């Protein structure tokens, strides 16, 4: 990606970890529900800002991951925020298709601690085999 130095200033203000990554939390822009957490590098954040959609860095595949490129469940950006320590990115998104999780659920945070057990609180909206 070729951009001018001045357009990269916002990237320089993020405190990237030793691997050049920062955690990114995707939150539903309308309901406030936390949908997922993923990682971003400089290129992912720059492209997300440029394209208006969530683009992450896949640590397992070692490549950019355009959310929804396989599933169709794209995250359109409503806003990008940086926390007070400048080391966590918050993406307010509009989740197309209503599914953010690879398990076919609305949110990756679908288990709640009840006593000493994790209880699944969200239904599968679509079989992952039909998505991927």
């Amino acid at each position: 990606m070729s951009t001018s130095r001045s357009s990269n200033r916002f990237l320089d203000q993020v405190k990237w970890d030793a691997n050049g990554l920062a955690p990114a939390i995707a939150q539903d822009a309308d309901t406030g529900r936390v949908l997922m957490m993923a990682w971003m590098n400089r290129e992912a954040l720059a492209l997300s800002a440029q394209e208006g959609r969530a683009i992450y860095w896949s640590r397992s595949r070692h490549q950019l991951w355009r959310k929804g490129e396989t599933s169709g469940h794209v995250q359109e950006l409503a806003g990008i925020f940086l926390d007070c320590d400048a080391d966590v990115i918050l993406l307010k998104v509009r989740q197309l298709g209503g599914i953010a999780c690879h398990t076919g659920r609305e949110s990756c945070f679908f288990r709640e601690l009840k006593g000493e057990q994790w209880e699944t609180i969200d239904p599968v909206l679509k079989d992952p085999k039909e998505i991927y």
Side-chain angles (χ1 to χ4, degrees):
M1 184 176 119
S2 167
T3 59
S4 71
R5 183 72 185 140
S6 63
S7 66
N8 286 333
R9 283 197 194 135
F10 75 97
L11 298 171
D12 294 337
Q13 294 172 5
V14 177
K15 291 181 185 169
W16 306 102
D17 71 11
N19 297 312
L21 302 173
I25 299 165
Q27 179 185 40
D28 186 289
D30 299 318
T31 68
R33 181 159 191 202
V34 174
L35 301 176
M36 59 178 278
M37 179 274 178
W39 297 91
M40 296 181 108
N41 62 8
R42 290 175 65 93
E43 185 179 14
L45 180 55
L47 287 171
S48 293
Q50 180 181 331
E51 295 182 20
R53 64 177 285 183
I55 300 169
Y56 302 106
W57 176 257
S58 171
R59 295 182 306 162
S60 60
R61 294 183 308 237
H62 304 285
Q63 65 184 35
L64 290 174
W65 160 38
R66 282 176 164 76
K67 179 69 174 153
E69 67 187 342
T70 303
S71 66
H73 300 135
V74 172
Q75 292 176 341
E76 293 179 342
L77 290 178
I80 301 174
F81 301 83
L82 188 61
D83 81 326
C84 57
D85 294 324
D87 60 1
V88 178
I89 299 160
L90 173 66
L91 304 177
K92 291 197 178 185
V93 301
R94 293 209 168 72
Q95 180 67 59
L96 302 186
I99 297 173
C101 186
H102 75 281
T103 66
R105 292 178 172 88
E106 175 188 13
S107 170
C108 293
F109 296 94
F110 59 86
R111 291 178 279 220
E112 182 177 4
L113 186 61
K114 304 271 183 153
E116 294 184 15
Q117 303 263 342
W118 292 107
E119 184 179 313
T120 298
I121 58 170
D122 287 350
V124 173
L125 301 176
K126 191 169 189 178
D127 186 332
K129 293 176 192 161
E130 296 176 29
I131 300 171
Y132 300 102

